[in-house]
Amino acid sequence: MAAVDLTTHPGHLARRLQQAHYLLWNTMVSEETTSPQFAVLNALAAEPGLDQRTVGERVGLDRSTVAEVISRLGRRGLLGKVRDPGDGRRFLLRLTDDGLRVHRRLAVRTARMNQIFLAPLSDAEQQTFFALIRRVADAAEGLRNPAEPLAAPH
C-alpha cells in the first residue's frame, strides 16, 4: 500500500496545530500555567461560583482532568472552594485574588499569542477558521458519548 497524504488527515493537522500552540504557549504565555489551567481560570473569571462538573463542561475537560486541574490550581492558591449551601455534596469554586491577577496577566499574553498564531490568516479567514473548527469540535464531543445522536451537518 502506498503512503497516504497526511495533509488530508485532520488528526495529523490537529496534532501539528497543538504542537505549535504548545510551543507558543510556553514561550509567550506561561511555563507554569497550562492552557487547560488557564481555561479553568477563565471560566471562573467569567462565572464565579461554578461547581467542578460545570467548569469541566464549560471548558471541554473530562471529569478526571478537570479534577486534577482544579487540585493543582488550588494548591497554587489560585482558587478556593466553598461548600454549596444548597447542596452540601458540591463545592463552589472562586478565584482568589492571586487567581484573578494570574488570569488578568495571562489573558493579555494569550491575546498576543493568538495574534501570532493566526497571523497567516486574514480577518475573514480567521472567522471562517473558527466557525469550521468549532463545528468539527462540537461534533467530536458527540463521539465521546455514542449513546447520544450526532448533530446533523449544517
Side-chain angles (χ1 to χ4, degrees):
M1 176 165 210
V4 297
D5 179 3
L6 291 178
T7 65
T8 65
H9 286 229
H12 174 73
L13 295 173
R15 183 188 56 75
R16 288 181 55 204
L17 278 174
Q18 178 59 30
Q19 285 177 316
H21 178 268
Y22 182 79
L23 174 66
L24 283 175
W25 185 273
N26 283 337
T27 57
M28 295 187 69
V29 179
S30 178
E31 290 183 346
E32 184 179 29
T33 303
T34 65
S35 181
Q37 289 172 354
F38 174 74
V40 168
L41 294 174
N42 195 60
L44 292 171
E47 297 179 80
L50 294 176
D51 64 273
Q52 182 171 301
R53 180 187 56 79
T54 305
V55 169
E57 289 170 359
R58 294 281 196 279
V59 300
L61 294 175
D62 62 70
R63 288 171 48 169
S64 61
T65 303
V66 77
E68 178 60 27
V69 166
I70 286 170
S71 176
R72 287 176 189 256
L73 293 172
R75 284 193 303 269
R76 288 178 53 200
L78 301 181
L79 63 79
K81 297 179 184 183
V82 295
R83 202 167 287 281
D84 183 346
D87 181 351
R89 297 168 296 176
R90 286 188 334 160
F91 286 94
L92 304 179
L93 306 168
R94 290 191 180 279
L95 297 183
T96 62
D97 289 342
D98 283 345
L100 288 166
R101 278 190 289 279
V102 167
H103 174 264
R104 213 172 9 254
R105 184 175 68 247
L106 297 184
V108 170
R109 292 178 184 177
T110 59
R112 277 191 240 124
M113 181 201 73
N114 287 336
Q115 287 176 333
I116 291 170
F117 195 58
L118 297 169
L121 304 177
S122 69
D123 288 344
E125 287 171 330
Q126 288 180 29
Q127 290 176 12
T128 300
F129 174 76
F130 281 120
L132 293 173
I133 203 164
R134 264 193 300 270
R135 189 184 319 163
V136 171
D138 290 346
E141 288 294 318
L143 299 175
R144 287 185 185 193
N145 187 356
E148 296 178 13
L150 292 175
H154 300 282

